[in-house]
Amino acid sequence: QSRSIIDHRYHRSSPSFKNTITQQNNLIYPLYQYYKRTVQPTSNTMDAANKMLAELSSRVQAGDVDGGMAALSKIKIAMLDIPQSAQQTTLAANALELGVLLSVAAGDLDAFARNMAQLKPNYARGAQTEKKDHVLGLNLMFLLVENRLSEFHAELELLTDKEANNAFISFPIQLERQLMVGSYDEVLSARSRIPDPSYAFFMDNLLQTVRDSIADCVEVSYKNMKTKDAIKMMKFDSPQQLTEYVEECRDDWIVEGDTLCFQPPPSGSKATDIPSMKLIAQSLSYATEMERII
């Protein structure tokens, strides 16, 4: 009855009063929604998120990339209705770590970078998970493949001694050292020692980069080379792989029987091309003029 009396008075009130009530409602309702979403979440929301995480985990273990991506999208949306807390941070970290593994399985470097960018704030807030070292190692591999060495070393500064000595993390650290000193043969052989199958995707990309570097050195060091020597040097498994590499990446190489012939590199400037006597004369002239001025 009181509600009907209020409604009756509201309808008989002046337009300015109605406008004031409407403005207050427009202000209060968003605040109420924010309060409802961030301050008073229901336990059902967290329970639902945990169920989604279990589903996502099962999808990842089954190798269902498409189903896993759909489950990951659902849990990311659900996390928006859960306030920030230690439990929420851990749950989000677990979900995003699975997202990182999914992006590796899909061979999607862009998705990998997005999931890592979303995951790092959770690590910064203290999230500790079983897959943390594994994911940090994959991120270091990603930075190596992208040749983002400054970011690679910045990530190393954030690691504890215990984390740095973990097999997942020490592997990319050792790879980076070998790359820096030019031990390409050791880098190419490292694929057989990866700490987890998920590293194979990044190793394949890194091996391609290393092979390109070896090819650049070979073609300026030799006029020709036996194909069996090139296969051994570049760690190919068969002559067919070498042939495919030449067709896709080195169309200026010529295969003649069992021999690779390299095109001579374009000739650059020689030391004799530098007008040394002219430059010396100019320098002496400048020195003489400076002495006169002083």
Side-chain angles (χ1 to χ4, degrees):
Q1 183 179 3
S2 60
R3 177 61 183 271
S4 62
I5 294 174
I6 293 173
D7 290 341
H8 177 70
R9 290 179 177 177
Y10 174 78
H11 291 297
R12 294 186 59 187
S13 60
S14 63
S16 61
F17 177 76
K18 290 181 180 179
N19 187 44
T20 301
I21 294 297
T22 301
Q23 290 177 351
Q24 290 178 348
N25 287 337
N26 291 339
L27 175 64
I28 293 172
Y29 183 73
L31 294 176
Y32 167 72
Q33 290 296 322
Y34 176 80
Y35 172 80
K36 182 180 178 182
R37 179 165 61 87
T38 60
V39 181
Q40 276 192 327
T42 61
S43 59
N44 293 335
T45 305
M46 183 63 76
D47 293 340
N50 282 318
K51 290 180 181 178
M52 292 178 188
L53 180 61
E55 178 188 358
L56 174 60
S57 179
S58 65
R59 298 280 187 181
V60 173
Q61 291 177 1
D64 183 3
V65 175
D66 294 334
M69 290 295 184
L72 179 63
S73 298
K74 290 180 182 178
I75 197 170
K76 284 183 177 181
I77 294 173
M79 295 303 296
L80 298 175
D81 292 328
I82 303 176
Q84 194 174 105
S85 63
Q87 187 179 5
Q88 184 267 356
T89 299
T90 302
L91 192 150
N94 281 314
L96 290 168
E97 285 174 346
L98 293 173
V100 167
L101 296 179
L102 276 175
S103 61
V104 172
D108 190 342
L109 290 177
D110 292 334
F112 180 92
R114 288 195 300 271
N115 285 318
M116 278 305 306
Q118 295 169 4
L119 177 58
K120 286 180 182 179
N122 293 288
Y123 285 157
R125 288 193 289 265
Q128 295 296 327
T129 62
E130 294 181 1
K131 294 182 175 62
K132 182 178 180 180
D133 292 337
H134 184 182
V135 171
L136 289 177
L138 288 175
N139 185 48
L140 291 176
M141 292 294 296
F142 168 73
L143 295 175
L144 271 184
V145 169
E146 294 288 304
N147 201 30
R148 291 154 58 175
L149 297 182
S150 59
E151 295 179 49
F152 180 93
H153 289 285
E155 291 292 329
L156 294 185
E157 294 296 326
L158 301 176
L159 299 174
T160 64
D161 291 338
K162 182 179 179 180
E163 290 172 338
N165 292 323
N166 184 280
F168 288 114
I169 297 176
S170 61
F171 180 79
I173 292 176
Q174 188 64 29
L175 273 183
E176 189 268 343
R177 291 172 180 169
Q178 292 167 349
L179 285 171
M180 290 301 99
V181 298
S183 300
Y184 294 142
D185 189 63
E186 294 183 19
V187 174
L188 292 173
S189 302
R191 198 184 192 287
S192 61
R193 304 191 303 271
I194 56 176
D196 186 83
S198 57
Y199 281 63
F201 169 67
F202 292 107
M203 282 302 300
D204 290 341
N205 285 274
L206 188 61
L207 292 179
Q208 181 64 29
T209 302
V210 171
R211 281 179 177 139
D212 288 340
S213 298
I214 294 175
D216 291 338
C217 296
V218 165
E219 65 183 6
V220 298
S221 302
Y222 301 93
K223 292 182 178 180
N224 53 66
M225 175 181 287
K226 294 293 184 181
T227 54
K228 63 178 182 179
D229 295 331
I231 291 171
K232 182 179 179 180
M233 186 176 294
M234 301 178 71
K235 296 296 180 182
F236 286 116
D237 296 328
S238 66
Q240 180 63 27
Q241 290 184 355
L242 176 61
T243 303
E244 292 175 356
Y245 176 79
V246 171
E247 292 175 352
E248 294 176 4
C249 306
R250 302 284 165 171
D251 55 1
D252 57 335
W253 289 8
I254 301 173
V255 180
E256 296 181 347
D258 62 346
T259 304
L260 273 177
C261 299
F262 309 114
Q263 298 292 335
S267 58
S269 299
K270 301 179 181 179
T272 54
D273 297 332
I274 301 175
S276 55
M277 296 305 296
K278 181 179 180 181
L279 293 175
I280 292 172
Q282 288 180 349
S283 298
L284 291 174
S285 175
Y286 295 151
T288 302
E289 293 296 329
M290 289 294 295
E291 186 177 359
R292 290 176 180 175
I293 294 172
I294 295 173

